[in-house]
Amino acid sequence: NSKMIMIDIHTLASASSTVDTLVHELGHFKTDGAEDLTDRFIDAVSEVAGRIIKNVSQRKHDAAFKDIDWWG
């Protein structure tokens, strides 16, 4: 089991595909590699997505993105 999540450069073409892929891969990470569509994996993906939504809505990550030059 790897401690690294690798995302193909083409996935980064849209925010939607980036977030979808990251949530999916974090589901595998949280379950030590559970197979897609298993109850354990689905529960982990739901937990990850919920945590991200909560943190973003509470603006917990705003400071991390403040100084990024998106157009550089």
Side-chain angles (χ1 to χ4, degrees):
N1 185 24
S2 175
K3 300 268 187 212
M4 183 182 304
I5 294 174
M6 299 184 69
I7 298 177
D8 185 275
I9 191 74
H10 301 291
T11 302
L12 303 175
S14 74
S16 176
S17 64
T18 301
V19 172
D20 288 350
T21 300
L22 185 58
V23 168
H24 178 95
E25 294 305 326
L26 285 169
H28 286 300
F29 180 79
K30 277 190 69 65
T31 60
D32 291 322
E35 293 292 320
D36 291 1
L37 304 178
T38 61
D39 288 343
R40 194 166 150 234
F41 176 74
I42 292 168
D43 289 346
V45 167
S46 296
E47 181 184 338
V48 167
R51 185 174 294 186
I52 289 170
I53 291 166
K54 179 181 175 186
N55 288 345
V56 169
S57 70
Q58 293 175 351
R59 306 183 69 94
K60 290 187 175 185
H61 301 291
D62 286 0
F65 290 94
K66 184 180 106 188
D67 295 323
I68 294 176
D69 179 9
W70 297 102
W71 311 107

